[in-house]
Amino acid sequence: MSAHWGSLLVPSQASADDFGFREYTYGASTCTGIKDPMNFYFGLQLGFLDAATGVIENTVTWRMNPIASDQWFHDDGVCQKQDRQRAEFITGDRHHTRLNQGRRLDPQFLHITASPMHHDTVVLDPLCGDVADSFDSSRNLAAQRIQAAGWFAVFTQTGNSLGIVQCDGRVTRSDGRYVLARN
């Protein structure tokens, strides 16, 4: 299965700078071709890559390293490939996230790991494989499980709600909010 092959419905460059990250991931190493909205961050002690990955694996229970394409993060002026991926299942319908530890220290939350989340669904088109059918449901599920484990998981409006056309023609958009989870 391939990862979803999205494109931006409305040609516009995201301009916000949440924790040093632009508001979307990208499909190319030049940070072009908007893919997924940045909808989840880990901060303070949870902001270290290993800690954030541990929360995804053990609290959110997405333990698999999925079959999926890579994405790039525009992080503090540098385009860099994700550090890790985790999902419910290796392939098929699943919740899925990529993780990238930020380059800069945030003055309030110290280390930040970005973890944009989405739900994939398999489509019959052999050129597609799977597509993102929701950006919000996976984020909400992760926030709920993290809150139930006793950590803070606070929603913030950021405005990254552009419609992203998936390879099967559907348009998937976010409600424009992200979660910051921290200890």
Side-chain angles (χ1 to χ4, degrees):
M1 294 287 150
S2 65
H4 60 83
W5 297 92
S7 64
L8 184 63
L9 181 63
V10 180
S12 173
Q13 181 64 39
S15 61
D17 183 16
D18 296 315
F19 307 111
F21 291 94
R22 285 198 185 150
E23 288 193 316
Y24 295 88
T25 60
Y26 299 90
S29 62
T30 55
C31 280
T32 56
I34 290 176
K35 299 298 268 181
D36 296 344
M38 300 293 272
N39 63 6
F40 213 99
Y41 297 95
F42 292 93
L44 292 175
Q45 292 301 318
L46 299 183
F48 287 97
L49 179 62
D50 287 341
T53 304
V55 170
I56 293 292
E57 291 175 348
N58 300 314
T59 302
V60 181
T61 68
W62 303 344
R63 296 183 175 105
M64 299 292 165
N65 189 11
I67 297 171
S69 63
D70 293 327
Q71 288 184 12
W72 282 262
F73 292 67
H74 193 279
D75 171 16
D76 201 26
V78 175
C79 188
Q80 59 186 40
K81 190 171 98 172
Q82 82 237 348
D83 294 314
R84 297 183 181 146
Q85 296 188 60
R86 292 296 182 268
E88 274 185 299
F89 309 109
I90 293 174
T91 190
D93 292 358
R94 64 190 176 194
H95 295 287
H96 178 207
T97 191
R98 292 171 173 85
L99 297 108
N100 183 261
Q101 184 172 320
R103 294 167 34 89
R104 75 175 186 191
L105 292 178
D106 182 81
Q108 183 177 2
F109 299 108
L110 303 175
H111 296 284
I112 297 288
T113 291
S115 182
M117 300 177 178
H118 64 275
H119 185 267
D120 287 322
T121 190
V122 175
V123 295
L124 297 177
D125 184 335
L127 299 177
C128 278
D130 59 49
V131 297
D133 64 356
S134 175
F135 296 116
D136 303 335
S137 65
S138 298
R139 177 206 59 207
N140 295 346
L141 175 64
Q144 179 183 42
R145 289 179 179 174
I146 288 168
Q147 287 170 336
W151 288 302
F152 293 97
V154 179
F155 286 80
T156 299
Q157 186 66 37
T158 190
N160 56 354
S161 59
L162 296 172
I164 300 175
V165 179
Q166 305 297 306
C167 64
D168 68 347
R170 79 180 70 197
V171 177
T172 305
R173 68 179 71 244
S174 166
D175 64 9
R177 298 186 302 162
Y178 69 79
V179 168
L180 172 64
R182 64 178 180 79
N183 50 321

